Amino acid sequence: MKKIGIMTTGGDCSGLNTVINRIVLGATNRGWRMVGIIDGTDGLCVRPANVIEMNTDTVPIERARLAGSFLHNGNACTMMNFESAVKNGRMKQFNKMLHDSLTALKLDALVLIGGNGSFSLSWKNRDIYSGLSLVCIPKTIDFDIPLTDRTIGFDTATNELVKYCDQLLLTARSHHRWFVVQSMGRECGRLALNAGVAIGADAIIIPEIKFSVDNLIKHIRGVDHDYGIIMVSEGITIRGSSGRPADMISRKLTAAGIMNRAAFPDYIQRAGDTVAGDRILAAKMATAALDAIENRETYVMTALRGNECVTIPLSEFYESGDIARDPNIPDLYTSNAYVEPDDPLLGVAGAMNIYIGDRK
Ligand code: F6P
């Protein structure tokens, strides 16, 4: 009987519990035993490793829609353990500890549900996973992972942002005022762009496209209404300004006499009930991951290509994209997929008379 481990790493998002549920269902169906590693790699840093036996009751079907991870993500402590290992030059010992824990668990395979950081570190430190089959499933509200048409959590985050803006628009209209809404997404503008198009924002400012505050103001002054949403991605900067991006833009609008407020949906974007699109994606990715284990694949990630889910080597993930490295942690990528200049959604936004920066 195969023994499979599963863990969730990095920032959480909605959809993790659906993946866990679908993996356990599929594994049970194949007659495999499942263990869940608690708190991501933190669970492997203690002796004995912090694991639980899993069955279809661990994340029952009616709870699989809930955000967060029933296995926990263990971010704070992971980063403490990890950063102190980096700082003290003890990466070898840290990696060995993880490897020894996995070996002691006698796993045939590990399903790692993670994002850019976890994938890049797993590939760079792949000896940790030698002797078992490592299959990664991409999750992130930022959708900043290349080579897949979607990541788990992105659709739900977009939906949460849309619901938030829909409500704001009602009060915006009453007071003839604009809301500058700051989306999450790190250096990737996909979340802001998708939500902005969905709600019919009047402007969408993302890190990938140059913009000027003067042109934004000109645009807002030129529309035939006096309220609406200006969607601003958290990754943008304005030369000579400091503070949160939405506050920076808000101050400039106020100075130009445009009534507005800044608004911050923050972690709500990670916390909505999982929408159908993410649940179906979770089911597809779980099935692809289990097939990969059956076929003895390793160091792969699942990826959506059109309607189908495939696996691709982690090396391809690592080598692709325009990479943003974390200055503090060698080998950690914070983002390597962005809104491309030819993204059709940019054209759609333009056709809707949304200001999306100064595109050529
Ligand atoms: O990567 C997901 C994300 O939610 C980003 O969009 C956001 O910038 C960041 O994580 C917030 O991280 P933390 O949970 O450490 O505040």
Side-chain angles (χ1 to χ4, degrees):
M1 183 199 273
K2 273 195 196 303
K3 185 179 178 193
I4 315 297
I6 183 167
M7 67 179 177
T8 49
T9 62
D12 71 355
C13 65
S14 194
L16 299 178
N17 288 320
T18 318
V19 183
I20 295 170
N21 172 275
R22 303 305 188 261
I23 288 277
V24 174
L25 270 178
T28 310
N29 213 12
R30 290 171 202 237
W32 299 347
R33 183 177 160 201
M34 288 287 317
V35 294
I37 297 165
I38 304 295
D39 273 330
T41 45
D42 283 354
L44 299 173
C45 291
V46 286
R47 294 282 180 273
N50 191 3
V51 298
I52 51 166
E53 284 289 331
M54 299 189 78
N55 57 42
T56 45
D57 269 350
T58 320
V59 183
I61 194 78
E62 74 281 4
R63 297 207 193 156
R65 69 182 161 82
L66 298 176
S69 165
F70 279 46
L71 293 174
H72 309 280
N73 292 56
N75 227 359
C77 188
T78 302
M79 288 326 279
M80 253 161 52
N81 283 333
F82 181 69
E83 277 170 15
S84 81
V86 171
K87 270 193 206 114
N88 303 324
R90 294 177 62 82
M91 273 306 286
K92 260 202 180 139
Q93 290 88 329
F94 180 76
N95 290 347
K96 186 172 178 310
M97 184 162 54
L98 300 186
H99 177 71
D100 289 351
S101 287
L102 290 168
T103 309
L105 285 170
K106 295 192 167 52
L107 296 179
D108 294 289
L110 175 68
V111 177
L112 184 157
I113 311 166
N116 254 311
S118 310
F119 289 9
S120 52
L121 286 170
S122 298
W123 176 244
K124 275 306 268 191
N125 303 290
R126 52 193 171 278
D127 285 353
I128 296 171
Y129 306 100
S130 64
L132 54 76
S133 163
L134 175 70
V135 180
C136 299
I137 296 186
K139 62 83 219 171
T140 164
I141 68 164
D142 305 335
F143 188 11
D144 58 354
I145 297 179
L147 307 174
T148 178
D149 291 347
R150 268 291 182 272
T151 54
I152 307 273
F154 177 75
D155 273 0
T156 306
T158 307
N159 204 49
E160 286 304 305
L161 194 48
V162 164
K163 285 196 290 181
Y164 179 91
C165 293
D166 284 347
Q167 299 308 117
L168 281 187
L169 278 170
L170 302 174
T171 169
R173 188 169 197 272
S174 294
H175 288 277
H176 309 278
R177 71 166 55 133
W178 296 85
F179 275 94
V180 185
V181 176
Q182 181 175 311
S183 79
M184 282 189 165
R186 296 187 192 268
E187 294 86 2
C188 178
R190 285 171 165 173
L191 181 56
L193 176 62
N194 279 260
V197 168
I199 56 153
D202 282 277
I204 304 171
I205 313 286
I206 58 175
E208 294 90 335
I209 300 178
K210 262 205 170 128
F211 70 99
S212 91
V213 175
D214 287 347
N215 287 341
L216 169 66
I217 291 171
K218 212 189 287 167
H219 181 81
I220 296 299
R221 285 201 176 121
V223 296
D224 62 0
H225 44 274
D226 59 3
Y227 71 97
I229 303 280
I230 295 161
M231 183 69 79
V232 170
S233 178
E234 67 176 359
I236 67 150
T237 50
I238 304 181
R239 200 179 295 154
S241 246
S242 61
R244 295 187 294 182
D247 283 330
M248 294 193 274
I249 299 280
S250 169
R251 285 198 302 268
K252 301 269 185 198
L253 294 180
T254 303
I258 297 171
M259 286 271 289
N260 77 92
R261 293 285 186 274
F264 300 88
D266 278 332
Y267 295 89
I268 292 294
Q269 294 159 92
R270 288 179 15 180
D273 277 4
T274 310
V275 297
D278 270 329
R279 296 187 206 188
I280 295 165
L281 181 60
K284 284 183 179 175
M285 291 221 174
T287 305
L290 294 168
D291 286 348
I293 293 169
E294 185 107 60
N295 297 333
R296 297 176 188 281
E297 292 176 36
T298 188
Y299 301 121
V300 292
M301 69 174 244
T302 57
L304 186 72
R305 295 284 169 83
N307 237 340
E308 221 193 318
C309 220
V310 298
T311 50
I312 51 174
L314 272 187
S315 56
E316 267 182 44
F317 152 81
Y318 195 79
E319 281 149 19
S320 68
D322 191 3
I323 289 161
R325 280 180 198 276
D326 187 312
N328 301 313
I329 304 175
D331 307 330
L332 185 85
Y333 293 166
T334 57
S335 180
N336 56 356
Y338 304 88
V339 175
E340 297 294 340
D342 60 352
D343 190 317
L345 210 46
L346 292 172
V348 171
M352 289 169 69
N353 194 32
I354 300 175
Y355 176 74
I356 40 170
D358 304 325
R359 285 172 80 218
K360 273 162 214 131

